[in-house]
Amino acid sequence: MTHVALNRRALLGASAAGLGLSFAGRVVAQSNASRNKLVVIIARGAMDGLSVTAPHADPDYVALRGGLALPAPGEADGVLDLGEGFGLHPALAGLHALHGQGRMRFAAAVALPVRIRSHFDAQDVLENGGEALRQQDDGWLNRAMVAAGGTALKGLSIGAQTPLILRGDAPVSSWAPGGAVRGEDRIASLLQDLYVDDPLLGRNLARGLATEELVGMGGGGGGGETLRRNDAQGLGRAVARLMTGADGADVVAVSLDGWDTHAGQKAQLQTRLTGLDQLVSGLRNGLADDWSHTVVMVATEFGRTARANGTQGTDHGTGSSLLLAGGAVKPGGLIGDWPTLADNRLFEGRDLAPTLDVRSVFKGVLRDHMGVDRAALDARVFPGSAAEAPTLDNLV
């Protein structure tokens, strides 16, 4: 029996959920045909948009943010100039380079259609795509796949379980990155023997093993590339390998935890944003020519308070930022309007006030990049959202 390195979480997540890893393990370089790709990164925990796309030129920014205010462009540790009075956090140098190439845009004041400050409830609304909590049992990204290509598009979830955003009728595979089982560990062969006659678990186990083998392809030294813990760039390259070729994934969802910065926010965001930047860089490098047909969206469930709390962190807020990057993104700047940080413009006197429903940005990308028509967006992908038009024309 052939022994293949096995990730326990990938195996358990795939087999327990009955996920079919339909494209895994096949040779990725089977076709030169290019298909549009979409990667949705969810920053779970509420990302502080006022630090990610800092409105450094807003006259109330420094006084309101206090010790959390970031220096202006050109100053020591200053933000990276985005124009229009905004600057990107200095940890996002790779994304800033994409902006300079016209391949990165941002919305600085977006929010859900309902005002919620509970992580679990807000993430449910963000992913179900409806106008209220637990309004849908499936996710808008899965419904968009059905609307765009029926069952022809291939979905991929990165993580121990498939998030709500990708659950639904369209087939979705799953991969959970992690360390490989050592050679002396016989769990892979034992499970292969156990499930050899099981039509569901046996097939999913074999495909799960093949996924791990595929992710490890392409490294040097004949042994493949080892994905180290906290290697965000390596993770991006690994995900890219599962997106390339005739059988690669078309739509990918990635969850990034750790954005709930109630204390010591500056240091935490430096780490989180460095990882995000490296993840996007890994995707770009790994996708190679496919990058020109790719859009990456970074969204979060809500923002954080405009003022720091007593521990130099922030609490649950409302408006936040959304980032778009990729070779398919058209040049441009700010998406939507800026509400300012004037005291009488803050939401409930404490939060950045949103000026744009996050679904409008999602709709613009799905329409222009994935070919989903307006009627399907309004009625099926985001039910009851006809009043929210897709943001801008030719966003991508």
Side-chain angles (χ1 to χ4, degrees), residues 127-337:
E127 296 181 63
N128 78 44
E131 297 200 318
L133 180 65
R134 285 179 278 278
Q135 190 174 44
Q136 305 293 135
D137 294 327
D138 53 3
W140 65 262
L141 192 54
N142 191 288
R143 296 194 297 272
M145 290 173 60
V146 175
T151 59
L153 298 182
K154 301 176 179 69
L156 174 65
S157 166
I158 305 301
Q161 61 182 2
T162 302
L164 174 61
I165 194 172
L166 261 183
R167 296 178 199 162
D169 294 333
V172 174
S173 301
S174 179
W175 175 59
V181 174
R182 289 173 295 182
E184 65 268 24
D185 195 330
R186 298 181 61 243
I187 187 172
S189 60
L190 290 173
L191 287 172
Q192 283 178 312
D193 290 341
L194 178 63
Y195 296 143
V196 65
D197 295 320
D198 189 299
L200 176 63
L201 295 179
R203 181 175 67 252
N204 286 334
L205 172 60
R207 288 172 174 168
L209 293 172
T211 301
E212 289 298 310
E213 187 174 33
L214 176 60
V215 170
M217 290 170 58
E225 179 181 5
T226 301
L227 182 59
R228 302 183 307 277
R229 181 176 176 81
N230 297 327
D231 181 5
Q233 187 150 180
L235 173 61
R237 291 193 300 268
V239 173
R241 284 196 288 276
L242 292 173
M243 295 175 62
T244 53
D247 293 297
D250 304 290
V251 176
V252 179
V254 183
S255 293
L256 296 182
D257 296 323
W259 301 86
D260 197 15
T261 52
H262 286 285
Q265 177 171 294
K266 271 196 168 182
Q268 289 193 64
L269 277 186
Q270 180 70 32
T271 299
R272 299 288 176 268
L273 292 172
T274 297
L276 173 62
D277 199 63
Q278 291 174 348
L279 173 63
V280 175
S281 176
L283 281 167
R284 181 188 183 190
N285 294 335
L287 285 169
D289 291 343
D290 282 326
W291 177 253
S292 64
H293 306 282
T294 298
V295 170
V296 179
M297 289 197 293
V298 183
T300 192
E301 67 262 34
F302 48 73
R304 308 196 70 82
T305 50
R307 298 178 181 88
N309 59 27
T311 57
Q312 283 303 294
T314 50
D315 299 317
H316 299 177
T318 306
S320 189
S321 299
L322 180 147
L323 303 179
L324 289 181
V329 174
K330 299 289 180 63
L334 176 67
I335 301 169
D337 297 323

